[in-house]
Amino acid sequence: MTALLAEAAPRGAAACAHCGAPLPEGAARFCCAGCAGAHALVSGLGLDAFYRRQETAAGTLRPAEAPPETDFAALALPGRGGTHRLELMVSGLTCGACVWLLEQALAQEPDVLRARASLSARRLTLEWRGGAARANALVALIARLGFRAAPWSPACLRATEDAEGRALLRALGIAAFGMMNVMLVSVAVWAGTDMGEATRHLMHWLAALIGLPVVLVAGMPFYRSAGTRCGRGGRTWISPSRSASSPPRR
């Protein structure tokens, strides 16, 4: 399928350099102290490529003001050789760049043996060498980046999947409806050998009136992704075959 290249001007000074939210009056680069700290953390880890590739909505990665209240150390499962494992559900994972940032930031911790995030399931698997109390420090690092972690629960994910599934199913149904009706009009045009020129033009206009709204509505998932990237001054290839989990190149 032919891809569409979308490009926009760099992000203006009116957006936060970390989360993309509008800047309050008098602010220079960041909307809050949390975003300033998160940006410094990402830059200090050498992961600045994240800002050129992210597709998160504005304000999604704004760090929470209060630290997590859950004692994640109690949820850590002991493993072999003095290791522990923790399963988390992470809010804010919306693109491949988010997965890349989260995994790379955790992988730079010297005691972390494994950090694997799933974009579709919003699931993070952590494994480290050391005591269970280390879990709280690792979750605090995730929170400093702007993500929100909670104990993994398939029930929590189900509501999000249902909402996304309904939206995609609705877009697919609209696309199928438009496709069938445009094909009916097209068959009439090409099979009607005795059709007058005025009638033929009318049928073409009818197909356009059906097809254009369908393209606008059914393609909304791709347009949202492109709009987010363009708003952040990046480029994106809009194609159904595009992989959302490909990591950004540094």
Side-chain angles (χ1 to χ4, degrees), residues 74-136:
L75 303 174
L77 301 176
R80 296 180 178 178
T83 64
H84 282 82
R85 181 171 58 87
L86 182 63
E87 301 283 345
L88 297 172
M89 183 172 181
V90 182
S91 174
L93 284 180
T94 57
C95 64
C98 295
V99 173
W100 176 81
L101 173 65
L102 187 60
E103 291 181 347
Q104 292 298 316
L106 290 167
Q108 294 195 27
E109 294 294 308
D111 55 345
V112 172
L113 303 175
R114 181 176 178 234
R116 294 293 297 172
S118 169
L119 179 61
S120 59
R122 311 290 194 271
R123 184 175 186 173
L124 172 66
T125 301
L126 270 177
E127 187 176 353
W128 67 93
R129 184 182 294 106
R134 177 66 168 142
N136 290 321

Side-chain angles (χ1 to χ4, degrees), residues 91-193:
S91 174
L93 284 180
T94 57
C95 64
C98 295
V99 173
W100 176 81
L101 173 65
L102 187 60
E103 291 181 347
Q104 292 298 316
L106 290 167
Q108 294 195 27
E109 294 294 308
D111 55 345
V112 172
L113 303 175
R114 181 176 178 234
R116 294 293 297 172
S118 169
L119 179 61
S120 59
R122 311 290 194 271
R123 184 175 186 173
L124 172 66
T125 301
L126 270 177
E127 187 176 353
W128 67 93
R129 184 182 294 106
R134 177 66 168 142
N136 290 321
L138 293 174
V139 172
L141 173 61
I142 295 171
R144 287 172 60 197
L145 293 171
F147 301 102
R148 289 164 174 77
W152 165 253
S153 171
C156 295
L157 178 64
R158 194 171 299 119
T160 302
E161 288 181 336
D162 289 346
E164 293 178 352
R166 284 194 299 269
L168 293 174
L169 185 61
R170 182 168 56 250
L172 180 62
I174 292 172
F177 168 82
M179 177 267 297
M180 289 186 292
N181 283 275
V182 169
M183 286 187 65
L184 286 174
V185 174
S186 300
V187 168
V189 170
W190 296 111
T193 55

Side-chain angles (χ1 to χ4, degrees), residues 9-10 12 27 62 71 79 89 99 109 141 160 178 211 221 225 230 235 238:
R62 179 182 294 167
D71 182 16
M89 183 172 181
V99 173
E109 294 294 308
L141 173 61
T160 302
S225 175
C230 289
R235 296 182 178 182
I238 308 170

